[in-house]
Amino acid sequence: MKRMMVAMLMALAMMLQVAAQDEKMTAFVNTLMNKMTLEEKIGQLNLPTAGFFVTGTAVNDNIAQKLRSGHIGGMFNSFSVASMRALQDIAVKESPNKIPILFGMDVIHGYKTIFPIPLALSCTWDMELVEKSARIAANEATANGIAWTFSPMVDIARDARWGRIAEGGGEDPWLGSQIAKAMVKGYQGDDLTASNTMMACVKHFALYGAAEAGRDYNTVDMSRITMYNDYFPPYKAAVEAGAGSAMTSFNVVDGIPATGNRWLLTDLLRNEWGFDGFVVTDYTAINEMIMHGMGNLQEVSALAIKAGTDMDMVGEGFLTTLKKSLDEGKISLQDIDVACRRILEAKYKLGLFDDPYRYLSEERAKTEVLTAENLNAAREIAARSMVLLKNDKQVLPLKKTGTIAVIGPLGDSKADMLGTWTLSGDLAKTSTILQGLQNVGGKAVKVLYVKGSELTDNPAIANSPNPLAMVSPAKKSESNKSPEDLLKEALETAAKADVIVAALGEPSAWSGEAASMTDISLQRPQRELLEALVATGKPLVLVLINGRPMTLSWENQHVHAILEAWAGGIESGNAIADVLFGDYNPSGKLTTTFPHNVGQIPLYYNHKNTGRPMDAKNKFTSKYLDSPNDPVYPFGFGLSYTTFEYGEVKLSKTQLKGNEKLMVTVTVKNTGKYAGEEVVQLYIQDPVASVSRPVKELKNFSKVMLQPGETREVSLEVTTTDLSFYNSNLQFDWEAGDFNIFVGTNSRDVKSATVNWAK
Ligand code: NOJ
């Protein structure tokens, strides 16, 4: 009783403190806004790019002049403390009200210490590590002037053709929500004014991952019930975790572009979810509403501000038309004031008014970036993000003796270890597969390397530049060799080796923004190389470097071992070697489905049943004539060098009522020779409900470490929140009845039990 009273008093004190701080902020912003001209207020809504790298045609120039006259609120993607200091100097010394600039950047998976791409990071199923990666990114970026990152991207994606699947946490709304929370917490910490925390920006609100046919920027069409149940949860989780800003998506939501969609940005985001940060557009998203058919620049800008958009990224629609719209009575002064206030509040929350230079630290930039500690974390996280897809005849782990032939165009390519959005990366410090095997293998291992093939023979792909990915300088020794010569060299090198490590997949430039593909198999020259290596009969490990699921039916049938290593960041090569040699026993699990072929897409585990579920013996059931329904690797899949055996699913009760909690217990035994971690996954199904519910939904998991021979009881809780869903009135509730509970090593291989839950 006494303890409860103390807790309540403490909560009350905290609330009062927050209220007092809010009041102080409001008073400060009021005083400032009273001094600002209309022009200056509109200036705060303007976000030009510094022009270091661009993802479209930016409409901004004359930066210094605009800063001086108060026509800029924030800037993004500029490098170096010196350049930002010079810009901040102009803002706080020469602009009318000396309002500091908010510097942002796409710090997506690390600043200089580059971590695995977000899709890979999600495969760790380790929220502490996810948070840690964001924390380190914030520490490094803030030392270099960045107070605001355009991350996390939490768009649910069910389509591997979409290149930006690389940037998110996969296909599951529940796991995606855990990741969203961990990222926001990692970036923002407990105190946004601290000089080493930065403001998060949840993006792309909303539904960007559902672009039709996986073609980037394409339109989206979705029912509200699917939005609420399957696509909104991670955005909502980021908001609940306190994300200070949100970015609109390029697509339409229910027919209206997100950037001009008042239902989305005001009714849902602010009124339903209680978001109190500011909304920035994606790159020229206001201007793009012209092409969406919403009117001219003045009209779409007015639409955006009235919908709840606060800041205009590089489009200058706000800067050039809002005054006119105000004069013509198309928008109100309050529309502008509200947006301006939100941006000033963000600067206040970051402490920029106290010290505009607090994130510009030459000293910290020198001492706190790329530290040994950060690199170790990157290596550990990369190893934990890798997913072992196949390991026949225990080809892996490799022995630290004999000769290993690394063969493939990605075997010694620094830039392709980093992945998309890594322009602040450091190529010199990045390890490749070849280097990693040399570093970790020790003296008794001889490592050979040849390129073996080109990445592709399709000029459209080969010649498509990608400003968001780094490119390694061409190696002289590899240039101008014919495909025949490359293959000949590969086979000669393979002949000298005890084991072949084929390093294939997709370079960094083939995933990320504007990098959609209709063919997600290994490109022809790589596949031909792999076929020739398989034909040698030597032990063969395929190490995949890529940013999206690929179609691997053939590889799964013919290659002995497959390690999905993704674009693992700066320590990729060392981490891959840690895994290949067994210094780290892989524990990653897929967060996205790997289909047999592109024709199956969209293919995801938490689908609804059809009225005619697949039955091989019955023609008139839901299936293809030429393809299985199932994927090659399902959601949650991932092997270990050891094996785990699951016992039966035990329930604390089989009949529950109201807000009781269910405890689900299963014994897991390590039946192999190696110590290893297993992600024990719990799924539920509501088989009878007022709306058709998915066949399975992830609701909990636990990652456990087991020594050889060790057995552990793993208990996972299920609450009525886990049973709840948005019904056809879009109310979030659960419905009494039976529920199937599944526990297993992936979404396909599970054991089950049934519970009855009464209201
Ligand atoms: C466009 C991308 O869609 C978005 O994710 C990114 O943050 C902005 N460009 C800024 O670079």
Side-chain angles (χ1 to χ4, degrees):
M1 193 64 187
K2 204 166 153 202
R3 232 191 272 152
M4 238 170 78
M5 286 281 286
V6 173
M8 271 168 62
L9 282 174
M10 275 172 65
L12 191 68
M14 182 81 113
M15 271 164 59
L16 289 174
Q17 203 185 342
V18 171
Q21 276 165 2
D22 282 357
E23 224 172 89
K24 231 172 117 191
M25 174 168 79
T26 307
F28 177 88
V29 173
N30 284 347
T31 313
L32 178 58
M33 282 181 65
N34 283 339
K35 292 189 277 184
M36 290 168 76
T37 61
L38 175 67
E39 242 182 275
E40 238 192 313
K41 287 177 182 170
I42 294 173
Q44 285 303 305
L45 319 188
N46 185 29
L47 176 71
T49 167
F52 284 74
F53 53 92
V54 292
T55 56
T57 317
V59 188
N60 60 234
D61 55 9
N62 242 339
I63 296 292
Q65 186 44 44
K66 283 186 179 138
L67 270 176
R68 225 164 259 130
S69 49
H71 286 158
I72 290 179
M75 290 185 69
F76 70 104
N77 289 349
S78 87
F79 294 117
S80 97
V81 176
S83 73
M84 280 181 263
R85 189 176 282 280
L87 294 166
Q88 193 67 298
D89 270 346
I90 304 180
V92 299
K93 291 182 183 150
E94 299 178 43
S95 77
N97 274 298
K98 319 213 168 341
I99 301 173
I101 291 294
L102 172 62
F103 288 109
M105 187 169 174
D106 288 282
V107 181
I108 306 296
H109 48 116
Y111 180 73
K112 280 220 167 277
T113 300
I114 301 291
F115 294 97
I117 52 166
L119 181 62
L121 188 63
S122 69
C123 295
T124 61
W125 294 59
D126 187 327
M127 297 311 127
E128 270 172 38
L129 286 188
V130 170
E131 184 180 331
K132 184 171 176 181
S133 74
R135 182 85 290 283
I136 292 174
N139 203 49
E140 292 195 352
T142 53
N144 283 282
I146 313 298
W148 178 34
T149 178
F150 301 145
S151 173
M153 173 179 127
V154 301
D155 304 318
I156 294 295
R158 295 169 165 178
D159 194 327
R161 292 171 295 185
W162 191 51
R164 301 199 81 171
I165 197 169
E167 296 177 51
E171 71 191 31
D172 186 66
W174 186 86
L175 190 65
S177 301
Q178 312 304 312
I179 295 168
K181 275 191 254 173
M183 296 288 285
V184 171
K185 207 160 157 233
Y187 288 136
Q188 298 195 162
D190 297 325
D191 175 11
L192 257 188
T193 62
S195 58
N196 64 354
T197 55
M198 62 182 169
M199 188 171 276
C201 182
V202 53
K203 71 187 189 186
H204 307 80
F205 194 58
L207 318 181
Y208 183 34
E212 281 184 1
R215 176 158 52 78
D216 209 2
Y217 316 124
N218 201 4
T219 198
V220 171
D221 193 9
M222 191 184 291
S223 66
R224 291 251 169 134
I225 198 167
T226 298
M227 294 181 198
Y228 273 79
N229 281 312
D230 300 337
Y231 282 77
F232 284 161
Y235 305 114
K236 186 163 183 273
V239 167
E240 284 167 4
S245 66
M247 187 187 290
T248 65
S249 58
F250 289 122
N251 50 279
V252 296
V253 173
D254 233 348
I256 301 173
T259 309
N261 193 320
R262 189 171 166 84
W263 170 74
L264 185 75
L265 301 182
T266 299
D267 299 349
L268 181 74
L269 181 66
R270 292 193 185 277
N271 299 345
E272 247 181 73
W273 295 355
F275 176 69
D276 71 349
F278 72 98
V279 172
V280 62
T281 71
D282 201 346
Y283 208 95
T284 58
I286 292 178
N287 316 56
E288 290 173 29
M289 285 201 281
I290 301 170
M291 290 309 289
H292 281 290
M294 310 305 290
N296 61 29
L297 187 62
Q298 184 187 349
E299 287 161 340
V300 294
S301 302
L303 187 67
I305 200 152
K306 289 200 92 58
T309 292
D310 304 307
M311 199 177 221
D312 173 359
M313 187 190 286
V314 304
E316 299 206 344
F318 280 177
L319 194 70
T320 56
T321 70
L322 285 188
K323 184 168 181 309
K324 185 159 184 270
S325 290
L326 182 65
D327 293 344
E328 292 170 4
K330 294 190 171 124
I331 62 168
S332 67
L333 182 59
Q334 207 204 337
D335 293 327
I336 295 171
D337 277 349
V338 166
C340 175
R341 174 178 297 278
R342 289 180 185 143
I343 287 152
L344 295 175
E345 283 182 355
K347 296 181 181 185
Y348 184 95
K349 289 176 195 162
L350 284 161
L352 284 169
F353 288 108
D354 286 339
D355 178 6
Y357 301 96
R358 75 171 359 133
Y359 301 100
L360 291 159
S361 166
E362 283 86 352
E363 182 53 34
R364 277 185 57 216
K366 269 192 227 130
T367 56
E368 293 182 22
V369 174
L370 287 174
T371 59
E373 203 186 333
N374 292 359
L375 292 171
N376 281 339
R379 183 163 172 171
E380 186 197 348
I381 293 172
R384 286 166 179 271
S385 74
M386 293 174 204
V387 185
L388 184 64
L389 298 176
K390 187 176 177 191
N391 190 21
D392 263 12
K393 297 187 195 131
Q394 305 262 316
V395 171
L396 290 174
L398 300 178
K399 293 188 199 69
K400 289 186 179 171
T401 53
T403 303
I404 301 172
V406 177
I407 302 178
L410 296 170
D412 192 26
S413 174
K414 288 174 181 285
D416 296 317
M417 302 293 114
L418 294 178
T420 186
W421 285 122
T422 49
L423 289 185
S424 53
D426 189 330
L427 275 189
K429 291 215 159 56
T430 304
S431 61
T432 67
I433 302 178
L434 169 64
Q435 288 168 335
L437 288 171
Q438 285 165 338
N439 294 343
V440 179
K443 291 218 175 71
V445 184
K446 192 167 170 198
V447 190
L448 310 172
Y449 168 72
V450 284
K451 181 175 168 186
S453 80
E454 297 298 341
L455 286 162
T456 178
D457 56 3
N458 180 343
I461 306 172
N463 302 331
S464 157
N466 187 339
L468 302 180
M470 281 193 162
V471 181
S472 303
K475 294 194 185 84
K476 270 211 186 109
S477 59
E478 288 173 354
S479 54
N480 299 327
K481 284 191 182 151
S482 69
E484 294 74 25
D485 285 349
L486 287 172
L487 186 61
K488 190 163 159 264
E489 252 181 22
L491 292 175
E492 282 164 7
T493 309
K496 293 182 207 147
D498 302 304
V499 54
I500 304 166
V501 171
L504 307 174
E506 295 189 341
S508 298
W510 294 4
S511 56
E513 188 173 347
S516 295
M517 291 267 218
T518 62
D519 178 0
I520 55 170
S521 62
L522 279 179
Q523 290 283 310
R524 184 165 46 195
Q526 296 191 60
R527 174 64 176 275
E528 284 173 2
L529 169 63
L530 190 62
E531 285 174 15
L533 296 175
V534 167
T536 66
K538 293 233 167 175
L540 176 59
V541 182
L542 169 60
V543 175
L544 284 168
I545 304 296
N546 53 334
R548 59 154 60 78
M550 300 184 72
T551 48
L552 301 169
S553 301
W554 186 90
E555 291 75 5
N556 188 48
Q557 273 170 37
H558 294 94
V559 179
H560 302 129
I562 306 177
L563 180 70
E564 175 53 86
W566 309 109
I570 189 162
E571 285 286 336
S572 270
N574 291 328
I576 288 170
D578 290 340
V579 171
L580 292 181
F581 285 123
D583 292 357
Y584 179 74
N585 182 0
S587 65
K589 300 275 189 174
L590 297 178
T591 56
T592 173
T593 302
F594 276 47
H596 280 278
N597 53 66
V598 158
Q600 292 179 298
I601 292 174
L603 187 66
Y604 49 95
Y605 87 95
N606 51 348
H607 61 87
K608 309 230 169 47
N609 225 340
T610 70
R612 297 184 178 198
M614 149 87 172
D615 174 356
K617 292 192 215 99
N618 186 348
K619 172 159 179 71
F620 294 99
T621 58
S622 183
K623 57 179 184 280
Y624 299 102
L625 293 180
D626 63 344
S627 164
N629 282 8
D630 292 336
V632 181
Y633 307 117
F635 175 86
F637 182 82
L639 303 172
S640 162
Y641 294 150
T642 195
T643 43
F644 299 103
E645 202 178 273
Y646 279 68
E648 295 308 314
V649 177
K650 283 186 240 137
L651 306 178
S652 56
K653 275 179 154 188
T654 50
Q655 177 73 55
L656 287 95
K657 197 168 163 37
N659 270 344
E660 283 185 283
K661 287 177 180 167
L662 173 69
M663 219 21 121
V664 180
T665 307
V666 69
T667 54
V668 184
K669 182 173 184 193
N670 181 344
T671 49
K673 286 191 303 212
Y674 300 89
E677 284 156 300
E678 167 70 337
V679 180
V680 181
Q681 302 162 36
L682 181 143
Y683 298 84
I684 66 158
Q685 183 197 18
D686 186 349
V688 180
S690 61
V691 293
S692 185
R693 301 292 300 135
V695 295
K696 253 175 222 157
E697 290 177 287
L698 181 74
K699 289 296 169 185
N700 209 341
F701 70 90
S702 174
K703 199 166 179 178
V704 289
M705 175 74 183
L706 294 174
Q707 298 302 318
E710 187 183 347
T711 301
R712 179 94 54 91
E713 285 221 317
V714 179
S715 292
L716 297 159
E717 192 178 80
V718 179
T719 68
T720 49
T721 308
D722 300 321
L723 310 180
S724 303
F725 58 89
Y726 289 90
N727 61 24
S728 48
N729 297 322
L730 301 180
Q731 279 155 348
F732 189 66
D733 202 359
W734 61 284
E735 297 175 4
D738 284 350
F739 294 88
N740 296 325
I741 311 285
F742 308 96
V743 181
T745 181
N746 62 60
S747 63
R748 184 189 57 201
D749 302 312
V750 291
K751 295 195 170 178
S752 67
T754 301
V755 61
N756 183 276
W757 215 310
K759 277 261 174 175

